[in-house]
Amino acid sequence: MTTFTVISEKASEDLAKKLSKKIRAKYIKSELTVFPDGESKITISSKPKKGSIIIVQSTFPPVDSNLIRALTLISKAKQYSPNVIAVIPYLGYARQDQEFLPGEIITIKVIANLFKASGASKIIVVDIHSKIALNQFKITSKNVSAVPNLVNYFKKLQLKEPLVVSPDLGGASRAKEFAKHFGTKYITLKKQRDRKTGKVLIKSSDLKEVKGRDLVLVDDMISTGGSIIKAAQFLKKQKCKRVFVACTHALLMNNAEKKIRKAGVSQIISANTIPGNTALVDVSGIIAKAIV
Ligand code: R5P
């Protein structure tokens, strides 16, 4: 039987502790010092056990700092074990998986190479923005879905004739998976995003089927909230009942939570891949399953 040690830094401490309990692993915390110029210095608090080492570190803001912290922890773990598993619950840069406009860089390819070069033998991520991004990893990679866990939360709510809604075509398969577990139907809105300004427009025509029903808007991530706000405003105009949001990674930048609530959303539920007051769904169990 493999012995595991889990190491994390502050960003994912709670999730890492939950994971270590689930897989009966030793948990090692680390101490972070940030120098006045922004450099991160991490010291692990004790020696890992002989066996595999799991580094847990989400890369939410400050994205680049958290990324460097993940990479340096991996390189430290590699000194103790040939088998280092990087658990990156929220992996930033996955949206930069293609050259959408001339001159753009496929940054996720660079990030994937860095994980390998730092010493990770495997990477586990939760609801990565795009499967294309995952293909850039030249080490074993696994994407686990938080959707069944999110659905379990929604099953406890008393929703009226619930209908699942994807804010865009890209999220249709996620909404389909959510609807399957939830035992409901799903619909997909037509979203248009200006690649230069980031502005979002909903181009769908009127939808009679949402009238009087509770809706669950499903997305992989909320960053500025632009997509969810436009979708919620559109759905409210269609005279739906309440709008709920289910997402895996709630980044909620620039006061997004307040703006989303103002757009008429009753509640935002997210996973604990990113800590915060909407992070009510624990994903340590699904990560544990991907490890053992
Ligand atoms: C887009 O394809 C993604 O699935 C999300 O809808 C998007 O990244 C969310 O960003 P924002 O909250 O800034 O609209």
Side-chain angles (χ1 to χ4, degrees), residues 167-168 190-195 198-203:
D168 51 37
K190 284 191 196 117
K191 178 179 99 178
Q192 197 180 68
R193 188 192 285 275
D194 184 309
R195 289 226 167 261
K199 269 200 154 179
V200 168
L201 281 176
I202 299 294
K203 306 287 267 184

Side-chain angles (χ1 to χ4, degrees), residues 95 129 167-168 170-171 174 191 193 198 200 219-228 256 260:
R95 284 175 294 182
H129 177 71
D168 51 37
R174 194 174 302 110
K191 178 179 99 178
R193 188 192 285 275
V200 168
D219 213 342
D220 60 326
M221 61 191 283
I222 302 174
S223 179
T224 63
S227 310
I228 291 296
I260 291 170

Side-chain angles (χ1 to χ4, degrees), residues 160-161 207-213 238-241:
K160 190 189 170 220
E161 295 175 69
L207 295 170
K208 286 202 178 66
E209 66 259 57
V210 303
K211 199 174 171 194
R213 296 175 77 167
Q238 308 297 310
K239 306 225 178 321
C240 67
K241 198 167 180 253

